[in-house]
Amino acid sequence: MSTIAVYPGSFDPITNGHVDIVRRSLQVFDKVIVAVAYNPNKDSSWFTPAERVAMIRETFREEKARVVADAFSGLLVDYAVAKGASVIIRGLRAVADFEYEFQMTMMNRHLTPQVETIFMMTGESHFYTSSRLVKEVASLGGNVAGLIPDNVVPLLVERANRFRPSA
Ligand code: PNS
């Protein structure tokens, strides 16, 4: 029986820290669904769900069917059950992530005990990378190469030019 894991997040945009977690997950699970969560009523994201899915798909083009990119709204646990996934993957960086992750895990466990959350530590070169920070760096004209997949760099730079604060 194949094990399907859901790796949920905002992915606005996907970073190399996320890529690292997916690659680690592929060593443990047969298939990873990278699931872009969105809230149709409250969304301040830079990229639409479809744009985020397209960037993820391109990033993992060579993995073929083992990595699937998708978008969902509503409860994560309902999405995981609907996809036949028994595991939710979350990445951990610094200790600061712990409290937020702990609360979400406990709530998801309360809602659907049969879906287990498993944490993966990112590689140390990604400890400081987050979508929020790369957007801030890009919007201030900083170099984001190496922090996000190569295919995402021009898209982020283009979007950052729209959001760049005027001097
Ligand atoms: O990348 P993020 O923003 O840290 O991911 C947070 C995410 C998407 C995993 C979380 O907000 C989520 O699960 N959203 C779906 C809605 C839901 O199920 N909420 C209850 C979770 S306790």
Side-chain angles (χ1 to χ4, degrees), residues 71-105:
F72 76 100
S73 59
L75 281 177
L76 167 61
V77 284
D78 290 347
Y79 175 80
V81 169
K83 293 290 169 185
S86 51
V87 171
I88 292 168
I89 298 164
R90 292 289 288 170
L92 278 181
R93 290 164 301 191
V95 181
D97 286 344
F98 181 78
E99 179 131 4
Y100 170 61
E101 296 298 335
F102 181 77
Q103 285 181 349
M104 279 202 302
T105 299

Side-chain angles (χ1 to χ4, degrees), residues 9-16 18 36-37 43-48 51-52 55 93 128-145 147-149 152-153 155-165:
S10 306
F11 302 109
D12 185 48
I14 186 166
T15 68
N16 284 341
H18 297 129
V36 173
D43 206 346
S44 54
S45 305
W46 277 26
F47 296 95
T48 66
E51 286 172 328
R52 287 179 262 167
M55 287 187 270
R93 290 164 301 191
Y128 56 91
T129 309
S130 71
S131 299
R132 183 183 63 78
L133 275 184
V134 294
K135 283 187 286 193
E136 185 172 327
V137 169
S139 68
L140 296 170
N143 182 8
V144 290
L147 300 174
I148 54 179
V152 177
V153 173
L155 302 167
L156 183 64
V157 169
E158 178 276 324
R159 204 52 55 98
N161 287 334
R162 285 196 211 172
F163 291 99
R164 193 187 295 268

